Every structure is written in structure tokens, then in C-alpha cells.
mmCIF file of all heavy atoms in Angstrom:
data_model
loop_
_atom_site.group_PDB
_atom_site.id
_atom_site.type_symbol
_atom_site.label_atom_id
_atom_site.label_comp_id
_atom_site.label_asym_id
_atom_site.label_seq_id
_atom_site.Cartn_x
_atom_site.Cartn_y
_atom_site.Cartn_z
ATOM 1 N N GLU A 1 3.133 -0.670 6.117
ATOM 2 C CA GLU A 1 3.116 0.713 6.597
ATOM 3 C C GLU A 1 4.189 0.941 7.656
ATOM 4 O O GLU A 1 4.828 2.001 7.681
ATOM 5 C CB GLU A 1 1.729 1.057 7.141
ATOM 6 C CG GLU A 1 0.695 1.283 6.043
ATOM 7 C CD GLU A 1 -0.671 1.625 6.603
ATOM 8 O OE1 GLU A 1 -0.984 1.181 7.741
ATOM 9 O OE2 GLU A 1 -1.440 2.312 5.907
ATOM 10 N N ARG A 2 4.384 -0.037 8.534
ATOM 11 C CA ARG A 2 5.426 0.110 9.561
ATOM 12 C C ARG A 2 6.808 0.214 8.911
ATOM 13 O O ARG A 2 7.634 1.048 9.304
ATOM 14 C CB ARG A 2 5.388 -1.090 10.526
ATOM 15 C CG ARG A 2 4.205 -1.092 11.468
ATOM 16 C CD ARG A 2 4.424 -2.064 12.625
ATOM 17 N NE ARG A 2 4.624 -3.434 12.172
ATOM 18 C CZ ARG A 2 3.646 -4.307 11.983
ATOM 19 N NH1 ARG A 2 2.389 -3.940 12.197
ATOM 20 N NH2 ARG A 2 3.915 -5.544 11.581
ATOM 21 N N THR A 3 7.046 -0.622 7.907
ATOM 22 C CA THR A 3 8.341 -0.582 7.217
ATOM 23 C C THR A 3 8.489 0.696 6.405
ATOM 24 O O THR A 3 9.579 1.282 6.328
ATOM 25 C CB THR A 3 8.488 -1.807 6.288
ATOM 26 O OG1 THR A 3 8.237 -3.001 7.039
ATOM 27 C CG2 THR A 3 9.882 -1.879 5.686
ATOM 28 N N ALA A 4 7.396 1.153 5.809
ATOM 29 C CA ALA A 4 7.436 2.352 4.972
ATOM 30 C C ALA A 4 7.811 3.587 5.785
ATOM 31 O O ALA A 4 8.470 4.505 5.273
ATOM 32 C CB ALA A 4 6.082 2.561 4.297
ATOM 33 N N ARG A 5 7.401 3.625 7.055
ATOM 34 C CA ARG A 5 7.705 4.791 7.905
ATOM 35 C C ARG A 5 9.201 4.943 8.145
ATOM 36 O O ARG A 5 9.684 6.020 8.497
ATOM 37 C CB ARG A 5 6.948 4.681 9.234
ATOM 38 C CG ARG A 5 5.456 4.999 9.114
ATOM 39 C CD ARG A 5 4.813 5.207 10.483
ATOM 40 N NE ARG A 5 4.650 3.951 11.203
ATOM 41 C CZ ARG A 5 3.578 3.164 11.127
ATOM 42 N NH1 ARG A 5 2.566 3.521 10.345
ATOM 43 N NH2 ARG A 5 3.502 2.055 11.830
ATOM 44 N N SER A 6 9.953 3.859 7.919
ATOM 45 C CA SER A 6 11.409 3.943 8.090
ATOM 46 C C SER A 6 12.094 4.494 6.846
ATOM 47 O O SER A 6 13.317 4.650 6.814
ATOM 48 C CB SER A 6 11.973 2.557 8.419
ATOM 49 O OG SER A 6 11.877 1.702 7.287
ATOM 50 N N GLY A 7 11.295 4.777 5.808
ATOM 51 C CA GLY A 7 11.853 5.317 4.572
ATOM 52 C C GLY A 7 12.118 4.284 3.498
ATOM 53 O O GLY A 7 12.663 4.616 2.437
ATOM 54 N N ASP A 8 11.746 3.045 3.743
ATOM 55 C CA ASP A 8 11.964 1.979 2.760
ATOM 56 C C ASP A 8 11.095 2.229 1.519
ATOM 57 O O ASP A 8 9.856 2.227 1.604
ATOM 58 C CB ASP A 8 11.616 0.630 3.400
ATOM 59 C CG ASP A 8 11.977 -0.540 2.501
ATOM 60 O OD1 ASP A 8 11.334 -0.688 1.441
ATOM 61 O OD2 ASP A 8 12.888 -1.321 2.849
ATOM 62 N N LYS A 9 11.736 2.429 0.368
ATOM 63 C CA LYS A 9 11.000 2.791 -0.848
ATOM 64 C C LYS A 9 10.142 1.644 -1.373
ATOM 65 O O LYS A 9 9.037 1.870 -1.882
ATOM 66 C CB LYS A 9 11.976 3.257 -1.922
ATOM 67 C CG LYS A 9 12.637 4.585 -1.589
ATOM 68 C CD LYS A 9 13.524 5.082 -2.725
ATOM 69 C CE LYS A 9 14.129 6.433 -2.386
ATOM 70 N NZ LYS A 9 14.998 6.935 -3.486
ATOM 71 N N ASP A 10 10.646 0.411 -1.271
ATOM 72 C CA ASP A 10 9.846 -0.732 -1.717
ATOM 73 C C ASP A 10 8.575 -0.864 -0.881
ATOM 74 O O ASP A 10 7.494 -1.144 -1.412
ATOM 75 C CB ASP A 10 10.653 -2.025 -1.635
ATOM 76 C CG ASP A 10 11.663 -2.158 -2.764
ATOM 77 O OD1 ASP A 10 11.516 -1.433 -3.777
ATOM 78 O OD2 ASP A 10 12.595 -2.978 -2.642
ATOM 79 N N ALA A 11 8.720 -0.672 0.417
ATOM 80 C CA ALA A 11 7.549 -0.754 1.303
ATOM 81 C C ALA A 11 6.556 0.354 0.985
ATOM 82 O O ALA A 11 5.331 0.140 1.005
ATOM 83 C CB ALA A 11 7.988 -0.686 2.757
ATOM 84 N N GLN A 12 7.075 1.553 0.680
ATOM 85 C CA GLN A 12 6.191 2.664 0.329
ATOM 86 C C GLN A 12 5.408 2.353 -0.943
ATOM 87 O O GLN A 12 4.213 2.643 -1.050
ATOM 88 C CB GLN A 12 7.006 3.945 0.173
ATOM 89 C CG GLN A 12 7.586 4.455 1.492
ATOM 90 C CD GLN A 12 8.583 5.586 1.289
ATOM 91 O OE1 GLN A 12 8.976 5.906 0.167
ATOM 92 N NE2 GLN A 12 9.012 6.202 2.398
ATOM 93 N N ALA A 13 6.101 1.754 -1.917
ATOM 94 C CA ALA A 13 5.429 1.383 -3.166
ATOM 95 C C ALA A 13 4.402 0.285 -2.911
ATOM 96 O O ALA A 13 3.309 0.289 -3.491
ATOM 97 C CB ALA A 13 6.458 0.920 -4.189
ATOM 98 N N THR A 14 4.749 -0.645 -2.021
ATOM 99 C CA THR A 14 3.822 -1.736 -1.691
ATOM 100 C C THR A 14 2.548 -1.194 -1.066
ATOM 101 O O THR A 14 1.441 -1.629 -1.397
ATOM 102 C CB THR A 14 4.498 -2.729 -0.722
ATOM 103 O OG1 THR A 14 5.656 -3.279 -1.348
ATOM 104 C CG2 THR A 14 3.543 -3.848 -0.334
ATOM 105 N N VAL A 15 2.688 -0.214 -0.179
ATOM 106 C CA VAL A 15 1.524 0.404 0.462
ATOM 107 C C VAL A 15 0.589 0.998 -0.591
ATOM 108 O O VAL A 15 -0.642 0.828 -0.530
ATOM 109 C CB VAL A 15 1.964 1.484 1.472
ATOM 110 C CG1 VAL A 15 0.767 2.327 1.926
ATOM 111 C CG2 VAL A 15 2.657 0.842 2.667
ATOM 112 N N LYS A 16 1.157 1.669 -1.579
ATOM 113 C CA LYS A 16 0.333 2.282 -2.631
ATOM 114 C C LYS A 16 -0.436 1.229 -3.417
ATOM 115 O O LYS A 16 -1.623 1.397 -3.715
ATOM 116 C CB LYS A 16 1.222 3.096 -3.577
ATOM 117 C CG LYS A 16 1.775 4.370 -2.974
ATOM 118 C CD LYS A 16 2.620 5.137 -3.992
ATOM 119 C CE LYS A 16 3.182 6.411 -3.382
ATOM 120 N NZ LYS A 16 4.024 7.159 -4.363
ATOM 121 N N VAL A 17 0.241 0.137 -3.751
ATOM 122 C CA VAL A 17 -0.421 -0.913 -4.535
ATOM 123 C C VAL A 17 -1.505 -1.595 -3.710
ATOM 124 O O VAL A 17 -2.596 -1.896 -4.215
ATOM 125 C CB VAL A 17 0.612 -1.950 -5.036
ATOM 126 C CG1 VAL A 17 -0.096 -3.079 -5.792
ATOM 127 C CG2 VAL A 17 1.644 -1.301 -5.938
ATOM 128 N N ILE A 18 -1.231 -1.817 -2.421
ATOM 129 C CA ILE A 18 -2.236 -2.444 -1.561
ATOM 130 C C ILE A 18 -3.480 -1.576 -1.477
ATOM 131 O O ILE A 18 -4.618 -2.069 -1.578
ATOM 132 C CB ILE A 18 -1.669 -2.719 -0.155
ATOM 133 C CG1 ILE A 18 -0.621 -3.840 -0.221
ATOM 134 C CG2 ILE A 18 -2.790 -3.092 0.819
ATOM 135 C CD1 ILE A 18 0.081 -4.106 1.101
ATOM 136 N N HIS A 19 -3.305 -0.265 -1.302
ATOM 137 C CA HIS A 19 -4.456 0.643 -1.253
ATOM 138 C C HIS A 19 -5.236 0.594 -2.567
ATOM 139 O O HIS A 19 -6.474 0.600 -2.565
ATOM 140 C CB HIS A 19 -3.987 2.073 -0.971
ATOM 141 C CG HIS A 19 -3.750 2.353 0.486
ATOM 142 N ND1 HIS A 19 -4.740 2.235 1.438
ATOM 143 C CD2 HIS A 19 -2.627 2.745 1.152
ATOM 144 C CE1 HIS A 19 -4.251 2.549 2.622
ATOM 145 N NE2 HIS A 19 -2.970 2.861 2.482
ATOM 146 N N LYS A 20 -4.507 0.522 -3.664
ATOM 147 C CA LYS A 20 -5.146 0.453 -4.972
ATOM 148 C C LYS A 20 -6.001 -0.808 -5.089
ATOM 149 O O LYS A 20 -7.132 -0.773 -5.592
ATOM 150 C CB LYS A 20 -4.066 0.471 -6.061
ATOM 151 C CG LYS A 20 -4.565 0.720 -7.468
ATOM 152 C CD LYS A 20 -3.367 0.902 -8.412
ATOM 153 C CE LYS A 20 -3.818 1.224 -9.829
ATOM 154 N NZ LYS A 20 -2.639 1.460 -10.725
ATOM 155 N N CYS A 21 -5.477 -1.916 -4.591
ATOM 156 C CA CYS A 21 -6.202 -3.190 -4.634
ATOM 157 C C CYS A 21 -7.429 -3.164 -3.726
ATOM 158 O O CYS A 21 -8.508 -3.636 -4.104
ATOM 159 C CB CYS A 21 -5.284 -4.336 -4.228
ATOM 160 S SG CYS A 21 -3.974 -4.705 -5.413
ATOM 161 N N LEU A 22 -7.264 -2.619 -2.522
ATOM 162 C CA LEU A 22 -8.379 -2.565 -1.582
ATOM 163 C C LEU A 22 -9.508 -1.678 -2.105
ATOM 164 O O LEU A 22 -10.697 -1.999 -1.945
ATOM 165 C CB LEU A 22 -7.901 -2.066 -0.219
ATOM 166 C CG LEU A 22 -7.079 -3.064 0.605
ATOM 167 C CD1 LEU A 22 -6.467 -2.388 1.829
ATOM 168 C CD2 LEU A 22 -7.940 -4.256 1.031
ATOM 169 N N GLU A 23 -9.146 -0.571 -2.739
ATOM 170 C CA GLU A 23 -10.168 0.303 -3.325
ATOM 171 C C GLU A 23 -10.935 -0.432 -4.420
ATOM 172 O O GLU A 23 -12.161 -0.313 -4.536
ATOM 173 C CB GLU A 23 -9.510 1.560 -3.900
ATOM 174 C CG GLU A 23 -9.006 2.529 -2.836
ATOM 175 C CD GLU A 23 -8.221 3.688 -3.432
ATOM 176 O OE1 GLU A 23 -8.207 3.802 -4.683
ATOM 177 O OE2 GLU A 23 -7.622 4.448 -2.658
ATOM 178 N N HIS A 24 -10.210 -1.218 -5.220
ATOM 179 C CA HIS A 24 -10.856 -1.964 -6.306
ATOM 180 C C HIS A 24 -11.787 -3.032 -5.742
ATOM 181 O O HIS A 24 -12.923 -3.191 -6.210
ATOM 182 C CB HIS A 24 -9.783 -2.600 -7.188
ATOM 183 C CG HIS A 24 -10.325 -3.222 -8.434
ATOM 184 N ND1 HIS A 24 -10.719 -2.481 -9.525
ATOM 185 C CD2 HIS A 24 -10.555 -4.531 -8.760
ATOM 186 C CE1 HIS A 24 -11.153 -3.292 -10.477
ATOM 187 N NE2 HIS A 24 -11.069 -4.539 -10.033
ATOM 188 N N LEU A 25 -11.325 -3.773 -4.735
ATOM 189 C CA LEU A 25 -12.167 -4.794 -4.123
ATOM 190 C C LEU A 25 -13.393 -4.168 -3.454
ATOM 191 O O LEU A 25 -14.452 -4.801 -3.382
ATOM 192 C CB LEU A 25 -11.356 -5.587 -3.089
ATOM 193 C CG LEU A 25 -10.295 -6.531 -3.664
ATOM 194 C CD1 LEU A 25 -9.346 -7.001 -2.569
ATOM 195 C CD2 LEU A 25 -10.948 -7.724 -4.339
ATOM 196 N N GLY A 26 -13.246 -2.932 -3.001
ATOM 197 C CA GLY A 26 -14.365 -2.231 -2.390
ATOM 198 C C GLY A 26 -15.500 -1.945 -3.352
ATOM 199 O O GLY A 26 -16.624 -1.644 -2.926
ATOM 200 N N THR A 27 -15.246 -2.059 -4.635
ATOM 201 C CA THR A 27 -16.293 -1.879 -5.651
ATOM 202 C C THR A 27 -16.927 -3.210 -6.038
ATOM 203 O O THR A 27 -17.655 -3.291 -7.029
ATOM 204 C CB THR A 27 -15.716 -1.207 -6.916
ATOM 205 O OG1 THR A 27 -14.780 -2.107 -7.544
ATOM 206 C CG2 THR A 27 -15.019 0.096 -6.574
ATOM 207 N N ASP A 28 -16.633 -4.269 -5.271
ATOM 208 C CA ASP A 28 -17.139 -5.626 -5.538
ATOM 209 C C ASP A 28 -16.631 -6.172 -6.868
ATOM 210 O O ASP A 28 -17.344 -6.910 -7.563
ATOM 211 C CB ASP A 28 -18.669 -5.673 -5.513
ATOM 212 C CG ASP A 28 -19.226 -5.479 -4.120
ATOM 213 O OD1 ASP A 28 -18.538 -5.871 -3.149
ATOM 214 O OD2 ASP A 28 -20.327 -4.920 -3.987
#
């Protein structure tokens, strides 16, 4: 997230995938 705020597109994409993974793990 810190890197994404600088406009780094790879970091922004990484943030999206991480959120997707965390949401999935949240369903056990």
C-alpha cells in the first residue's frame, strides 16, 4: 500500500490481489 500510493502500478495490482486473498481466507 505504501508503494502503491506513489503510483506504482505493480504495487497497486498487488494490493488488489492481496485483498482478494484475504477476503477468501476470511471465509475459512
Side-chain angles (χ1 to χ4, degrees):
E1 285 180 332
R2 288 196 300 271
T3 307
R5 285 194 287 270
S6 69
D8 187 292
K9 291 184 178 180
D10 284 343
Q12 291 170 351
T14 299
V15 168
K16 289 181 180 179
V17 177
I18 290 175
H19 278 300
K20 193 172 183 177
C21 291
L22 286 171
E23 288 174 8
H24 188 76
L25 289 167
T27 66
D28 290 330

